[in-house]
Amino acid sequence: MTKNTIKLLDVVALTVDIPEYNLWRGQVGTVVELLAESAALEVEFSDRNGRTYESLGLRKEQIMVLRFEPASPNAKAEMVTA
């Protein structure tokens, strides 16, 4: 596993509240664009029916990638702080 790499179409969750967009820590979105040489990412938030209700650029520190399989035994845990 590459160290904290976020890729196009990764499923991510917010690690911070963004009240001006009515988005809250824990909400799940999908990375749809890599911006500024991957320093920022366009994340799309959709409802259960697949309708987008928000799409905005975020910094890597504002999100975490959700994993759907066990991590490799050789993977090292890493804490990212803003």
Side-chain angles (χ1 to χ4, degrees):
M1 178 164 49
T2 308
K3 185 177 173 181
N4 201 29
T5 301
I6 301 174
K7 301 179 299 298
L8 193 62
L9 302 180
D10 273 348
V11 177
V12 297
L14 283 174
T15 58
V16 296
D17 294 336
I18 308 176
E20 59 270 27
Y21 292 98
N22 200 30
L23 294 171
W24 308 100
R25 184 176 43 178
Q27 281 189 268
V28 176
T30 303
V31 176
V32 295
E33 190 75 39
L34 304 175
L35 308 168
E37 298 179 9
S38 297
L41 309 129
E42 182 79 17
V43 178
E44 186 174 276
F45 296 89
S46 302
D47 64 19
R48 292 179 188 254
N49 296 314
R51 290 184 298 249
T52 301
Y53 58 86
E54 195 60 70
S55 182
L56 70 153
L58 298 170
R59 296 181 316 276
K60 289 181 179 181
E61 302 84 35
Q62 295 176 292
I63 58 175
M64 65 178 286
V65 177
L66 299 180
R67 310 281 181 209
F68 295 97
E69 354 183 296
S72 162
N74 299 326
K76 292 184 179 180
E78 180 180 325
M79 181 73 157
V80 177
T81 57

